[in-house]
Amino acid sequence: MTMPARRRNLTGRLAAGALALGIVAAVGPALADAPPDPRIEALATACLPHRQDYAALTRHVAEQGWQTAAANAHPELDALLAKSREVFDELDEGITATLAVFGKEVGGRQLYLVANFVSSEPIDLVGCTVYDLDADAAIDPAPLTALFGQPPTNSIDDPKLIVADGWEQPKAFPGTWDAYSAYIPEGSFAAGQTGFTGVYLKITAVSPKKRNVLPGDDG
């Protein structure tokens, strides 16, 4: 995917907005016997099937048993949503954003899922992020590497700040802009920037124009 520099810069900003707001079927033999990580299971089953279509994504998430969650369902959920809305409020004229928040217990862990849609003239982006706000350790990236079919393209390993892995445009999932897994520990400077601690997994995909029809739209 090649884009002019101006559009690449805009897309990077939109992807950052999407980030502020995210069953490994392809695991190898060494991982097949391990219990599935509920966070990865949630990403694979809730986020990936309709990653390029916000309307279909939110319908699918609800069909998977995720319930609409209030911001005050968790103290850090409220804080991270406030940070996300700050980013959205600063988007340039002509760029619109919407989001939906869900919660579900998966594998004994209370998880939250934020789906978001950021639209502009050059590109539309759909984001899906799974949060485990009570996690106290980084997630094993190996199952995600198996899922995406490639090793991480970038990683950060700073246990006092953030432990993160990213997969740029994984070929196993066409249309995907990027995917990330990260753990932010208690006391991290990053927590002040994001509003939360714990684990998040997110995927951002490019949405074909006019595919998304939001509730209330005439299109």
Side-chain angles (χ1 to χ4, degrees):
M1 183 182 297
T2 302
M3 301 177 65
R6 182 180 179 185
R7 291 194 175 186
R8 286 201 305 270
N9 291 339
L10 175 58
T11 302
R13 294 176 61 194
L14 296 181
L19 170 61
L21 275 173
I23 301 296
V24 180
V27 295
L31 300 173
D33 294 333
D37 187 301
R39 287 79 59 95
I40 298 176
E41 179 182 356
L43 181 79
T45 60
C47 293
L48 289 176
H50 298 283
R51 61 191 174 279
Q52 292 184 269
D53 186 333
Y54 177 79
L57 169 64
T58 52
R59 287 195 302 268
H60 174 73
V61 167
E63 290 168 357
Q64 290 282 306
W66 293 79
Q67 302 293 319
T68 300
N72 63 2
H74 191 289
E76 292 189 351
L77 180 64
D78 193 10
L80 77 87
L81 290 174
K83 293 287 186 180
S84 300
R85 292 191 174 96
E86 287 178 10
V87 173
F88 284 169
D89 288 343
E90 295 176 358
L91 293 175
D92 293 340
E93 185 176 354
I95 303 174
T96 61
T98 189
L99 62 83
V101 186
F102 303 87
K104 182 181 179 181
E105 185 174 314
V106 181
R109 303 194 71 87
Q110 178 60 50
L111 306 181
Y112 298 96
L113 184 152
V114 177
N116 62 278
F117 179 56
V118 182
S119 180
S120 69
E121 186 279 326
I123 194 170
D124 292 342
L125 295 173
V126 179
C128 187
T129 308
V130 174
Y131 294 93
D132 180 355
L133 300 175
D134 298 315
D136 58 6
I139 201 165
D140 180 3
L144 288 167
T145 291
L147 177 65
F148 296 128
Q150 66 188 57
T153 49
N154 52 78
S155 299
I156 302 173
D157 186 7
D158 187 338
K160 293 184 178 181
L161 179 65
I162 188 171
V163 177
D165 295 282
W167 293 262
E168 300 291 335
Q169 300 177 16
K171 294 181 176 59
F173 296 96
T176 300
W177 186 264
D178 59 23
Y180 280 89
S181 166
Y183 168 64
I184 300 174
E186 294 283 351
S188 167
F189 172 80
Q193 305 303 304
T194 63
F196 71 94
T197 61
V199 160
Y200 74 84
L201 301 138
K202 76 97 183 178
I203 187 166
T204 302
V206 178
S207 177
K209 288 290 188 178
K210 298 184 179 179
R211 170 177 287 183
N212 290 273
V213 179
L214 304 181
D217 288 351
D218 296 329

